[in-house]
């Protein structure tokens, strides 16, 4: 695939890209900002949340969701701008809350890695379901560092990246939002998948920080494509429509820290547009 096009630089710690209304929205965890980036390069700060992590997604009606891990809650941005509490997550876990994905019915899945990272002793993570009314219940556990999540276009499957298990894990989504039939969706030997996204050909792209690349795989693990970067790839998102592009948030990770923020958003041509959610 072609070399990356750099769309934005100077990001402190970019994560959680989402394609929404013709723009790439992402979080700069280091600056505590949610940013909407036009594919042409202009950008706007749309929200500020003093949290790390602070992943994002959107409800079916377009309202922004932000995981406020510091306060162990899920926030919702109302149409007139203010952020309000969508759900209290503190009753389930006091560890870091991580990724979030909303389905077409307004149900939202949020995962927790289950331990203090970095430096803490490993403990399995979990996933909770947040209903449109803000009720919270655990629907999955025993996950080895759950990271990016995606939902199939038919709303029937949730895929989660298990970074410490070197795999993508699939669940069937029940009519009540419950998760069942846990299975290995794809092994990723040698890789630790982080952020993920689905495309219209039923393949998943996953980002890998340590190996500095994004990989496109089918269910079962067949590798279809790989794009390399010059720094750690943390998460990715796909545009919709004609001439699809893969957007990747990346930055230097490990070793001496650079004198200036190393985070950037880059874009590659993609073989298929995004599908499902996010």
């Amino acid at each position: 695939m072609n070399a990356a096009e750099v769309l934005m630089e100077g990001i402190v710690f970019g994560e959680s890209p989402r394609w929404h209304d013709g723009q790439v929205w992402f979080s700069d965890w280091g600056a505590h900002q949610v940013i909407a980036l036009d594919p042409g390069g202009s950008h706007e700060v749309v929200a500020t949340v003093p949290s790390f992590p602070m992943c994002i997604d959107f409800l079916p009606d377009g309202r922004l969701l932000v995981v406020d891990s510091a306060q162990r809650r899920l926030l919702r941005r109302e149409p007139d701008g203010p952020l309000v509490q969508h759900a209290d997550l503190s009753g389930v876990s006091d560890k870091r809350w991580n990724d979030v994905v909303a389905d077409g019915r307004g149900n939202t899945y949020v995962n927790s890695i289950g331990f203090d990272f970095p430096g803490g002793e490993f403990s399995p993570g979990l996933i909770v379901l947040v209903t449109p009314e803000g009720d919270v219940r655990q629907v999955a556990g025993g996950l080895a560092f759950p990271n990016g999540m995606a939902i199939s276009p038919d709303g029937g499957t949730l895929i989660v990246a298990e970074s410490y298990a070197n795999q993508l894990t699939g669940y069937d989504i029940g009519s009540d939002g419950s998760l069942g039939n846990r299975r290995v969706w794809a092994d990723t030997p040698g890789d630790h998948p982080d952020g993920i996204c689905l495309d219209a050909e039923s393949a998943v792209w996953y980002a890998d920080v340590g190996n500095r690349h994004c990989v496109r795989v089918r269910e079962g693990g067949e590798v279809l494509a790989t794009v390399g970067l010059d720094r750690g790839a943390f998460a990715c998102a796909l545009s919709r429509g004609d001439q699809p592009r893969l957007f990747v948030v990346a930055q230097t990770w490990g070793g001496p820290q650079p004198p200036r923020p190393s985070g950037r958003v880059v874009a590659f041509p993609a073989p298929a547009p995004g599908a499902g959610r996010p």
Side-chain angles (χ1 to χ4, degrees):
M1 296 177 68
N2 296 339
E5 175 190 358
V6 179
L7 300 181
M8 182 176 174
E9 297 192 90
I11 299 160
V12 182
F13 195 110
E15 258 283 10
S16 194
R18 302 289 190 259
W19 180 258
H20 179 70
D21 282 348
Q23 295 180 302
V24 186
W25 295 54
F26 69 95
S27 298
D28 186 340
W29 291 1
H32 309 301
Q33 296 174 337
V34 178
I35 297 169
L37 171 63
D38 185 88
S42 62
H43 69 276
E44 174 190 6
V45 176
V46 295
T48 300
V49 179
S51 180
F52 189 112
M54 50 172 293
C55 289
I56 65 170
D57 201 21
F58 295 88
L59 289 167
D61 62 9
R63 286 179 294 173
L64 174 70
L65 295 171
V66 183
V67 178
D68 181 359
S69 184
Q71 300 299 321
R72 301 177 182 87
R73 60 183 179 169
L74 182 63
L75 301 176
R76 182 184 72 243
R77 185 172 182 251
E78 295 295 78
D80 55 351
L83 288 166
V84 300
Q85 181 168 294
H86 188 67
D88 181 0
L89 306 174
S90 63
V92 178
S93 175
D94 63 357
K95 301 302 181 184
R96 289 184 185 270
W97 292 91
N98 194 19
D99 203 39
V100 56
V101 63
D103 71 10
R105 300 175 292 178
N107 288 326
T108 304
Y109 297 91
V110 189
N111 64 39
S112 170
I113 65 174
F115 66 104
D116 295 319
F117 177 85
E121 181 179 355
F122 171 77
S123 183
L126 55 86
I127 302 173
V128 297
L129 169 70
V130 178
T131 68
E133 296 75 31
D135 298 324
V136 181
R137 75 174 190 273
Q138 183 175 334
V139 289
L143 291 153
F145 203 131
N147 243 314
M149 296 190 291
I151 296 173
S152 61
D154 65 2
T157 302
L158 181 138
I159 301 168
V160 56
E162 281 195 81
S163 295
Y164 279 13
N166 308 97
Q167 68 185 35
L168 303 176
T169 299
Y171 294 91
D172 292 342
I173 300 176
S175 59
D176 62 351
S178 60
L179 300 180
N181 187 28
R182 178 175 176 170
R183 59 199 180 274
V184 177
W185 195 88
D187 285 314
T188 63
D191 280 357
H192 304 285
D194 196 326
I196 67 173
C197 59
L198 273 160
D199 73 21
E201 296 178 355
S202 301
V204 166
W205 282 96
Y206 68 81
D208 182 281
V209 177
N211 289 309
R212 298 185 173 189
H213 63 200
C214 289
V215 180
R216 183 178 184 235
V217 295
R218 289 199 192 281
E219 184 173 6
E222 179 189 0
V223 174
L224 303 174
T226 301
V227 295
L229 295 97
D230 64 353
R231 61 202 69 194
F234 280 75
C236 49
L238 285 160
S239 64
R240 266 56 169 176
D242 296 334
Q243 298 181 328
R245 292 202 287 175
L246 177 75
F247 300 95
V248 186
V249 288
Q251 49 256 326
T252 300
W253 176 259
Q257 292 300 304
R260 292 180 295 277
S262 65
R264 56 173 45 170
V265 178
V266 301
F268 298 88
R277 302 182 71 93

